[in-house]
Amino acid sequence: MRIQVSCFATLSRYAPTDGFLEIKEGATPIDVIDQLSIPREEVKIVFVNGQNSGKEIELQEDDRVGIFPAIGGG
Amino acid sequence: MAKLLRINSKNKKIAYEELTGPYAGLGGRGLTSRVVRREVPPACHPLSAQNKLIVAPGLLTGTTAANTGRLSVGGKSPLTGTIKESNAGGTFSQKLAKMDIMGLILEDKPDPGSPFQTLFINKDGAELIEIPEITGLGTYDASARLFEKFGTKVGIMVIGPAGENTRLASSIQFTDPRGKPSRAAGRGGLGALMGSKKIKAIVIDSEGSKAPEMADREAFKAAAKRWAEILVNHPVTGQGLPSYGTSILINIINEAGTLPTKNFRSGRFDKASDISGEKMVEFINKRKGIAREGCHAGCIIQCSQSYNDENGEYLTSGFEYETVWAFGSNLLISDIDHIAMLDRLCDDLGLDTIETGTTLAMAMEAGILPWGDGLKAIELLKRVHDPKDYLGAIIGNGTSFTAEAFGVDRVPVVKKQSLPAYDPRAAKGVGVTYATTPMGGDHTAGYAICQNILKVGGDIDPLGKEGNIEISKNLQIATAAVDATGFCLFVAFAVLDTDDSLDTIAKLISSRFGKNFTAEDIAKTGIEILKDEYSFNRDAGFTAAHDQLPDFFINEELPPHNVKWDFTAEELQKAKIEI
Ligand code: SF4
């Protein structure tokens, strides 16, 4: 199934070129991180559909996933 | 001995006092709020002779400890009518501290029609002088003239045309290490307070003064070393902020669905990536700007930058997330050069960027400006320059005033100060801060975005209610204490995640002053400050009814999460300390 993935800041170089990714049924954000070869320790925050739902929930078709390193500002 | 400098703007008397009695041992926001509480009648008109403008470096400013060069500016706010502390960078604070001046207090008010004056301070004393050629100038030209006159090593605090004409959204600008007046005490209209005292600028030359000694030099050195490690080792203060600046937040706040868009109608902006920190850095590098610099010497985080226009010429610096939001998604403007120009205009006119962005949103609501039109927004803002331009006068007076002038009912303010760059419905912790801080709508006073979105110092659901009152309350206490030290607030990212950080701060203060200051004293300091502030507001007539968000947040759902603001007035009161 297909999901939408964006990677930001220092991780932007890992983003899929067209912004979409084919994943297996039952895949989680951790699987996505591995599939994109992002070093796990560089990922601080994952949003699934704008919610910080953890890296272990099961993804659904058309989910929107955002992957971030540690970020601050304000 | 640390001293206070009292300046009477009417009879021009200037007196040095020792920092004793109720003011002993205070710095930064601790001192500004205590002076306002004790010396300013809460019910006075903010532009009257009874109000005072207080400028205070922090307790650790002027030392070698990293990121301690920030400054507090206080008074009764012309915008909100509440007590106000506005915090700024720039070189001014360290120069005051080097001269062992812990506070400036500007008092009284010259007769109507009196000329503007400039206060000059150096090792031989202080005097008020008239420099007629800078009156009416923007802060960029005014500070260039002042550097010509007093040398390039001075620090400058200056107001622009907005402050001179006592516009309610006006800021006070400070020069950065490159001499650009791009650092602002922006919030609360304190530029109007300075303008009402007929002070255009304060110039400080600390050459020849000897910085105060640390009470225990070795202990201070050791603590300062550990302190620098804490900041460098944390991924946010050591890497994230230095690499991309604060606008790195645009994408994550957008992804979280809480980036206020079109005057708080949506939490997502479809063109967010065009105005992101990543994009800004790309432009800066392409145009040979500076992607990373500090607002004062001794800042090792360096979230600031110099942004060049498309011809490679300097346009602005200190170009922050809040500003990019205020003129960007808030107005549907996606051209980052237009946003940079609006930032430059605000710095030059001496206007708060957050307040001005939301003011332009009111103009768009009213049909005076088309949504998303950066060039027309620039044209409108330029009108603030002319004191006789009535539309410029309205715009310079901020969000609430402009909304009233044009009958707009969608007005994102608390206590007449505009809300900043996070929609409170989908970042409820910071929403609690907006509603309850003594400052009026403000995020820095209790930045729960850390826990709501960034997962720094905890993890609290931004969409639900649970834990958000408590976190806002605790952060408000901690922030008040940080603002007393001279630390840049961004140290909080590392402090919240590092076990020995509070002890290290306590050691810095103990060894600086030779007294026993503990980690518990930090919280006590914060509580004392909030007591001064809440009690001032109470006596100025503020009640629980003022601690509310505008009702459209309660009545309208925010996409994409479709959430409303749902705290009751009673619940919100629990975020305030008892006075
Ligand atoms: S981190 Fe940014 S705001 Fe803080 S002191 Fe450094 S440049 Fe100034």
Side-chain angles (χ1 to χ4, degrees):
Chain A
M1 61 185 184
R2 207 165 82 125
I3 58 164
Q4 202 186 325
V5 183
S6 312
C7 305
F8 297 97
T10 45
L11 304 181
S12 52
R13 64 177 181 275
Y14 298 103
T17 33
D18 63 349
F20 292 93
L21 191 68
E22 276 301 326
I23 57 166
K24 292 199 296 270
E25 287 291 325
T28 65
I30 282 283
D31 298 322
V32 173
I33 289 165
D34 291 348
Q35 202 175 326
L36 292 171
S37 312
I38 305 175
R40 284 190 191 185
E41 67 281 2
E42 286 185 25
V43 177
K44 165 100 178 177
I45 299 162
V46 177
F47 283 120
V48 178
N49 302 324
Q51 292 210 49
N52 190 346
S53 347
K55 294 176 195 158
E56 260 128 58
I57 66 156
E58 196 180 313
L59 295 169
Q60 310 296 324
E61 177 95 45
D62 293 332
D63 270 353
R64 169 175 172 148
V65 177
I67 303 175
F68 296 86
I71 276 177
Chain B
M1 180 75 193
K3 46 195 182 283
L4 271 177
L5 190 54
R6 246 180 229 281
I7 303 103
N8 186 300
S9 61
K10 184 176 171 136
N11 67 21
K12 306 194 187 200
K13 283 209 180 108
I14 296 176
Y16 282 98
E17 282 172 22
E18 288 190 354
L19 200 71
T20 51
Y23 302 147
L26 300 182
R29 179 170 164 188
L31 183 64
T32 61
S33 288
R34 178 64 52 85
V35 174
V36 176
R37 172 71 282 209
R38 291 183 61 89
E39 300 189 17
V40 175
C44 76
H45 192 286
L47 301 179
S48 70
Q50 278 68 45
N51 200 2
K52 301 189 183 193
L53 184 73
I54 303 105
V55 182
L59 290 170
L60 292 170
T61 306
T63 71
T64 55
N67 287 76
T68 51
R70 302 278 302 185
L71 185 76
S72 292
V73 187
K76 173 166 170 154
S77 163
L79 181 73
T80 63
T82 65
I83 198 166
K84 174 61 61 182
E85 185 259 4
S86 192
N87 198 278
T91 63
F92 197 87
S93 196
Q94 286 171 323
K95 291 182 196 296
L96 277 178
K98 188 175 172 203
M99 298 181 79
D100 216 6
I101 299 173
M102 285 307 281
L104 304 175
I105 306 181
L106 302 183
E107 310 183 325
D108 214 332
K109 180 177 178 170
D111 293 329
S114 300
F116 275 93
Q117 309 183 76
T118 291
L119 175 66
F120 178 64
I121 307 168
N122 71 0
K123 64 178 186 338
D124 302 323
E127 58 177 330
L128 284 165
I129 40 186
E130 278 177 42
I131 311 177
E133 62 271 25
I134 64 169
T135 302
L137 292 187
T139 66
Y140 272 82
D141 282 346
S143 48
R145 299 266 179 108
L146 291 168
F147 282 126
E148 256 166 47
K149 192 172 167 67
F150 296 103
T152 51
K153 287 191 173 150
V154 298
I156 299 173
M157 161 173 174
V158 61
I159 55 172
E164 286 182 32
N165 296 300
T166 61
R167 303 292 182 239
L168 299 178
S170 58
S171 63
I172 300 173
Q173 299 293 128
F174 294 86
T175 48
D176 71 5
R178 284 176 213 284
K180 307 295 189 193
S182 64
R183 309 303 310 192
R187 309 238 62 196
L190 293 178
L193 174 48
M194 188 160 154
S196 74
K197 308 278 183 226
K198 291 283 180 181
I199 307 286
K200 169 76 177 173
I202 304 179
V203 178
I204 183 162
D205 177 359
S206 60
E207 292 295 297
S209 314
K210 206 167 157 298
E213 283 290 326
M214 303 300 105
D216 182 341
R217 210 190 311 173
E218 288 311 309
F220 190 88
K221 237 170 115 182
K225 183 161 172 265
R226 173 66 193 136
W227 175 244
E229 280 167 15
I230 291 173
L231 297 180
V232 171
N233 290 343
H234 192 274
V236 171
T237 47
Q239 276 167 23
L241 275 170
S243 311
Y244 294 100
T246 58
S247 287
I248 191 64
L249 286 179
I250 290 277
N251 277 324
I252 191 165
I253 300 300
N254 186 58
E255 203 52 35
T258 186
L259 183 72
T261 301
K262 199 177 182 192
N263 191 24
F264 294 82
R265 282 186 175 78
S266 166
R268 285 234 176 101
F269 181 41
D270 55 3
K271 298 191 179 121
S273 64
D274 294 346
I275 61 170
S276 65
E278 289 93 328
K279 183 64 91 195
M280 189 192 289
V281 169
E282 192 187 308
F283 276 40
I284 288 173
N285 289 336
K286 202 164 67 189
R287 297 168 178 182
K288 308 223 167 359
I290 301 162
R292 172 180 182 180
E293 64 182 15
C295 67
H296 67 271
C299 163
I300 59 177
I301 303 175
Q302 302 197 317
C303 76
S304 192
Q305 64 296 100
S306 287
Y307 186 91
N308 291 349
D309 65 16
E310 49 192 0
N311 304 318
E313 300 289 330
Y314 170 89
L315 182 58
T316 193
S317 50
F319 185 26
E320 290 187 71
Y321 167 69
E322 304 290 336
T323 304
V324 172
W325 161 77
F327 297 124
S329 61
N330 184 41
L331 305 180
L332 302 185
I333 295 174
S334 57
D335 185 323
I336 201 163
D337 284 330
H338 294 165
I339 300 173
M341 181 50 116
L342 288 161
D343 180 50
R344 163 65 182 249
L345 278 173
C346 279
D347 288 350
D348 195 45
L349 290 162
L351 284 173
D352 178 28
T353 54
I354 299 176
E355 191 65 45
T356 303
T358 49
T359 301
L360 293 178
M362 298 305 103
M364 289 180 176
E365 294 285 356
I368 296 166
L369 273 182
W371 288 101
D373 193 330
L375 290 173
K376 288 222 168 74
I378 289 167
E379 287 316 306
L380 177 60
L381 192 53
K382 282 184 178 165
R383 297 177 69 160
V384 178
H385 233 290
D386 177 1
K388 296 200 184 75
D389 184 315
Y390 290 126
L391 186 53
I394 291 171
I395 297 295
N397 276 323
T399 311
S400 195
F401 190 101
T402 301
E404 281 172 23
F406 296 110
V408 175
D409 70 350
R410 188 184 184 83
V411 196
V413 299
V414 172
K415 303 180 182 75
K416 297 199 173 168
Q417 180 167 283
S418 74
L419 302 189
Y422 318 86
D423 195 298
R425 289 165 288 189
K428 291 211 160 64
V430 85
V432 175
T433 302
Y434 294 165
T436 58
T437 161
M439 298 297 146
D442 180 74
H443 61 297
T444 60
Y447 191 66
I449 294 302
C450 281
Q451 292 77 7
N452 277 172
I453 315 281
L454 306 173
K455 295 219 269 177
V456 172
D459 187 357
I460 296 172
D461 181 7
L463 307 179
K465 287 162 92 169
E466 199 185 329
N468 280 314
I469 296 276
E470 296 73 17
I471 196 67
S472 171
K473 180 179 183 179
N474 291 338
L475 288 171
Q476 290 191 52
I477 294 168
T479 304
V482 167
D483 289 341
T485 58
F487 281 131
C488 162
L489 189 55
F490 294 154
V491 305
F493 293 108
V495 169
L496 287 166
D497 277 345
T498 313
D499 288 338
D500 65 337
S501 58
L502 291 181
D503 281 330
T504 305
I505 293 172
K507 278 184 198 153
L508 286 169
I509 295 174
S510 302
S511 52
R512 161 74 178 86
F513 295 101
K515 63 181 182 187
N516 183 26
F517 195 90
T518 64
E520 287 83 74
D521 291 325
I522 298 175
K524 274 190 216 148
T525 303
I527 290 171
E528 287 301 309
I529 293 170
L530 287 170
K531 279 188 180 165
D532 279 338
E533 295 174 347
Y534 281 126
S535 64
F536 181 91
N537 285 357
R538 177 199 59 206
D539 296 347
F542 287 88
T543 68
H546 297 93
D547 298 332
Q548 306 288 325
L549 297 187
D551 59 358
F552 73 86
F553 291 113
I554 298 162
N555 299 327
E556 277 178 35
E557 285 185 348
L558 177 75
H561 295 303
N562 302 326
V563 276
K564 292 182 179 175
W565 178 252
D566 48 4
F567 282 104
T568 65
E570 220 174 25
E571 285 168 334
L572 285 170
Q573 288 308 297
K574 299 207 179 82
K576 296 167 76 175
I577 56 140
E578 307 257 337
I579 47 173

